[in-house]
mmCIF file of all heavy atoms in Angstrom:
data_model
loop_
_atom_site.group_PDB
_atom_site.id
_atom_site.type_symbol
_atom_site.label_atom_id
_atom_site.label_comp_id
_atom_site.label_asym_id
_atom_site.label_seq_id
_atom_site.Cartn_x
_atom_site.Cartn_y
_atom_site.Cartn_z
ATOM 1 N N LEU A 246 144.724 113.631 134.287
ATOM 2 C CA LEU A 246 144.538 113.187 135.674
ATOM 3 C C LEU A 246 144.075 111.731 135.687
ATOM 4 O O LEU A 246 144.536 110.929 136.514
ATOM 5 C CB LEU A 246 143.523 114.085 136.388
ATOM 6 C CG LEU A 246 143.330 113.767 137.874
ATOM 7 C CD1 LEU A 246 144.609 113.997 138.660
ATOM 8 C CD2 LEU A 246 142.190 114.579 138.478
ATOM 9 N N ALA A 247 143.190 111.387 134.763
ATOM 10 C CA ALA A 247 142.709 110.000 134.692
ATOM 11 C C ALA A 247 143.864 109.041 134.404
ATOM 12 O O ALA A 247 143.937 107.946 134.965
ATOM 13 C CB ALA A 247 141.620 109.871 133.635
ATOM 14 N N ALA A 248 144.769 109.475 133.532
ATOM 15 C CA ALA A 248 145.925 108.626 133.221
ATOM 16 C C ALA A 248 146.781 108.427 134.466
ATOM 17 O O ALA A 248 147.253 107.319 134.754
ATOM 18 C CB ALA A 248 146.751 109.266 132.108
ATOM 19 N N GLU A 249 146.962 109.505 135.216
ATOM 20 C CA GLU A 249 147.731 109.408 136.447
ATOM 21 C C GLU A 249 147.041 108.485 137.445
ATOM 22 O O GLU A 249 147.677 107.645 138.099
ATOM 23 C CB GLU A 249 147.876 110.813 137.041
ATOM 24 C CG GLU A 249 148.980 110.940 138.038
ATOM 25 C CD GLU A 249 148.808 112.172 138.894
ATOM 26 O OE1 GLU A 249 148.031 112.119 139.871
ATOM 27 O OE2 GLU A 249 149.441 113.185 138.580
ATOM 28 N N GLN A 250 145.728 108.592 137.518
ATOM 29 C CA GLN A 250 144.964 107.738 138.431
ATOM 30 C C GLN A 250 145.047 106.271 138.003
ATOM 31 O O GLN A 250 145.113 105.367 138.832
ATOM 32 C CB GLN A 250 143.509 108.221 138.498
ATOM 33 C CG GLN A 250 143.391 109.569 139.228
ATOM 34 C CD GLN A 250 142.019 110.207 139.066
ATOM 35 O OE1 GLN A 250 141.499 110.307 137.950
ATOM 36 N NE2 GLN A 250 141.425 110.639 140.163
ATOM 37 N N LEU A 251 145.032 106.064 136.700
ATOM 38 C CA LEU A 251 145.209 104.702 136.169
ATOM 39 C C LEU A 251 146.519 104.100 136.675
ATOM 40 O O LEU A 251 146.558 102.957 137.148
ATOM 41 C CB LEU A 251 145.190 104.754 134.637
ATOM 42 C CG LEU A 251 145.705 103.524 133.886
ATOM 43 C CD1 LEU A 251 144.843 102.307 134.182
ATOM 44 C CD2 LEU A 251 145.746 103.802 132.384
ATOM 45 N N GLY A 252 147.587 104.880 136.573
ATOM 46 C CA GLY A 252 148.875 104.386 137.049
ATOM 47 C C GLY A 252 148.844 104.071 138.531
ATOM 48 O O GLY A 252 149.394 103.054 138.984
ATOM 49 N N GLY A 253 148.172 104.920 139.301
ATOM 50 C CA GLY A 253 148.057 104.690 140.739
ATOM 51 C C GLY A 253 147.281 103.418 141.033
ATOM 52 O O GLY A 253 147.674 102.617 141.896
ATOM 53 N N ALA A 254 146.189 103.227 140.314
ATOM 54 C CA ALA A 254 145.375 102.023 140.529
ATOM 55 C C ALA A 254 146.185 100.779 140.201
ATOM 56 O O ALA A 254 146.148 99.774 140.926
ATOM 57 C CB ALA A 254 144.113 102.088 139.670
ATOM 58 N N GLN A 255 146.948 100.851 139.127
ATOM 59 C CA GLN A 255 147.781 99.706 138.737
ATOM 60 C C GLN A 255 148.806 99.395 139.831
ATOM 61 O O GLN A 255 149.036 98.228 140.158
ATOM 62 C CB GLN A 255 148.497 100.018 137.415
ATOM 63 C CG GLN A 255 149.368 98.881 136.912
ATOM 64 C CD GLN A 255 148.532 97.701 136.439
ATOM 65 O OE1 GLN A 255 147.681 97.841 135.578
ATOM 66 N NE2 GLN A 255 148.766 96.540 137.024
ATOM 67 N N ALA A 256 149.383 100.431 140.396
ATOM 68 C CA ALA A 256 150.365 100.215 141.463
ATOM 69 C C ALA A 256 149.716 99.540 142.665
ATOM 70 O O ALA A 256 150.311 98.672 143.303
ATOM 71 C CB ALA A 256 150.999 101.546 141.869
ATOM 72 N N CYS A 257 148.481 99.933 142.977
ATOM 73 C CA CYS A 257 147.767 99.304 144.103
ATOM 74 C C CYS A 257 147.611 97.810 143.849
ATOM 75 O O CYS A 257 147.795 96.991 144.762
ATOM 76 C CB CYS A 257 146.397 99.947 144.289
ATOM 77 S SG CYS A 257 146.485 101.630 144.932
ATOM 78 N N LEU A 258 147.256 97.447 142.625
ATOM 79 C CA LEU A 258 147.117 96.023 142.296
ATOM 80 C C LEU A 258 148.472 95.326 142.372
ATOM 81 O O LEU A 258 148.588 94.237 142.952
ATOM 82 C CB LEU A 258 146.490 95.862 140.911
ATOM 83 C CG LEU A 258 146.389 94.428 140.375
ATOM 84 C CD1 LEU A 258 145.629 93.518 141.329
ATOM 85 C CD2 LEU A 258 145.705 94.421 139.001
ATOM 86 N N ASP A 259 149.488 95.948 141.797
ATOM 87 C CA ASP A 259 150.816 95.320 141.800
ATOM 88 C C ASP A 259 151.313 95.080 143.222
ATOM 89 O O ASP A 259 151.836 94.011 143.542
ATOM 90 C CB ASP A 259 151.826 96.196 141.039
ATOM 91 C CG ASP A 259 151.490 96.298 139.553
ATOM 92 O OD1 ASP A 259 150.675 95.480 139.067
ATOM 93 O OD2 ASP A 259 152.027 97.201 138.880
ATOM 94 N N LEU A 260 151.159 96.099 144.077
ATOM 95 C CA LEU A 260 151.571 95.944 145.478
ATOM 96 C C LEU A 260 150.827 94.779 146.131
ATOM 97 O O LEU A 260 151.403 94.002 146.896
ATOM 98 C CB LEU A 260 151.241 97.223 146.272
ATOM 99 C CG LEU A 260 152.132 98.441 146.114
ATOM 100 C CD1 LEU A 260 151.520 99.633 146.869
ATOM 101 C CD2 LEU A 260 153.535 98.151 146.649
ATOM 102 N N THR A 261 149.547 94.675 145.824
ATOM 103 C CA THR A 261 148.714 93.665 146.476
ATOM 104 C C THR A 261 149.078 92.266 146.008
ATOM 105 O O THR A 261 149.176 91.335 146.812
ATOM 106 C CB THR A 261 147.230 93.956 146.197
ATOM 107 O OG1 THR A 261 146.959 95.291 146.617
ATOM 108 C CG2 THR A 261 146.328 92.995 146.941
ATOM 109 N N VAL A 262 149.268 92.123 144.694
ATOM 110 C CA VAL A 262 149.638 90.804 144.169
ATOM 111 C C VAL A 262 150.986 90.379 144.752
ATOM 112 O O VAL A 262 151.164 89.226 145.170
ATOM 113 C CB VAL A 262 149.669 90.817 142.625
ATOM 114 C CG1 VAL A 262 150.294 89.549 142.085
ATOM 115 C CG2 VAL A 262 148.255 90.984 142.071
ATOM 116 N N ALA A 263 151.919 91.327 144.836
ATOM 117 C CA ALA A 263 153.235 90.990 145.388
ATOM 118 C C ALA A 263 153.131 90.620 146.860
ATOM 119 O O ALA A 263 153.721 89.644 147.317
ATOM 120 C CB ALA A 263 154.185 92.174 145.199
ATOM 121 N N HIS A 264 152.354 91.381 147.610
ATOM 122 C CA HIS A 264 152.215 91.116 149.039
ATOM 123 C C HIS A 264 151.573 89.758 149.284
ATOM 124 O O HIS A 264 152.050 88.967 150.114
ATOM 125 C CB HIS A 264 151.369 92.216 149.680
ATOM 126 C CG HIS A 264 151.140 92.044 151.149
ATOM 127 N ND1 HIS A 264 152.091 92.340 152.085
ATOM 128 C CD2 HIS A 264 150.079 91.578 151.844
ATOM 129 C CE1 HIS A 264 151.623 92.084 153.296
ATOM 130 N NE2 HIS A 264 150.393 91.609 153.170
ATOM 131 N N THR A 265 150.485 89.476 148.569
ATOM 132 C CA THR A 265 149.765 88.224 148.828
ATOM 133 C C THR A 265 150.558 87.013 148.343
ATOM 134 O O THR A 265 150.299 85.900 148.795
ATOM 135 C CB THR A 265 148.369 88.218 148.168
ATOM 136 O OG1 THR A 265 148.521 88.391 146.752
ATOM 137 C CG2 THR A 265 147.489 89.318 148.717
#
Side-chain angles (χ1 to χ4, degrees):
Chain A
L246 184 63
E249 199 198 82
Q250 290 168 311
L251 165 63
Q255 181 70 56
C257 289
L258 175 56
D259 295 345
L260 283 174
T261 305
V262 169
H264 179 78
T265 59

